[in-house]
């Protein structure tokens, strides 16, 4: 599986917001995340790092 864990940087610390994310798409001025269980989150953020070996994606709030 290639599902990733998504983190948002808050006060200089990466906080996990959703695990096992399978879909990421741009919507309006944010990003819609959907995981393998159908859970959804929409972030007003931009992606700053993706690390496939760690299955980790990091966003910064905008």
């Amino acid at each position: 599986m290639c599902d990733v864990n998504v983190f948002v940087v808050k006060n200089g610390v990466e906080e996990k917001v959703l695990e096992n994310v399978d879909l990421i798409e741009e919507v309006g001025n944010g990003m819609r995340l959907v995981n393998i269980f159908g859970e959804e989150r929409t972030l007003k953020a931009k992606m700053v790092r993706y690390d496939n070996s760690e299955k980790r994606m990091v966003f910064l709030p905008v």
Side-chain angles (χ1 to χ4, degrees), residues 9-26:
V9 177
K10 293 183 181 177
N11 300 319
V13 177
E14 294 179 1
E15 296 181 11
K16 189 182 296 183
V17 293
L18 196 59
E19 295 182 330
N20 301 309
V21 174
D22 195 40
L23 172 71
I24 300 170
E25 64 181 350
E26 188 174 10

Side-chain angles (χ1 to χ4, degrees), residues 3-4 10 16 21 24 29 34-35 45 48-49 54 58 61:
D3 305 321
V4 300
K10 293 183 181 177
K16 189 182 296 183
V21 174
I24 300 170
N29 62 345
V34 182
N35 72 8
V48 293
R49 187 171 67 247
E54 291 187 17
V58 181

Side-chain angles (χ1 to χ4, degrees), residues 2-62:
C2 293
D3 305 321
V4 300
N5 296 318
V6 173
F7 297 80
V8 173
V9 177
K10 293 183 181 177
N11 300 319
V13 177
E14 294 179 1
E15 296 181 11
K16 189 182 296 183
V17 293
L18 196 59
E19 295 182 330
N20 301 309
V21 174
D22 195 40
L23 172 71
I24 300 170
E25 64 181 350
E26 188 174 10
V27 290
N29 62 345
M31 303 298 284
R32 178 177 167 249
L33 315 170
V34 182
N35 72 8
I36 61 174
F37 306 110
E39 295 174 88
E40 286 189 40
R41 296 280 308 260
T42 301
L43 305 175
K44 291 188 182 206
K46 65 177 183 174
M47 187 189 71
V48 293
R49 187 171 67 247
Y50 172 69
D51 186 332
N52 188 53
S53 64
E54 291 187 17
K55 296 184 179 183
R56 180 182 191 89
M57 187 172 278
V58 181
F59 288 83
L60 278 177
V62 292

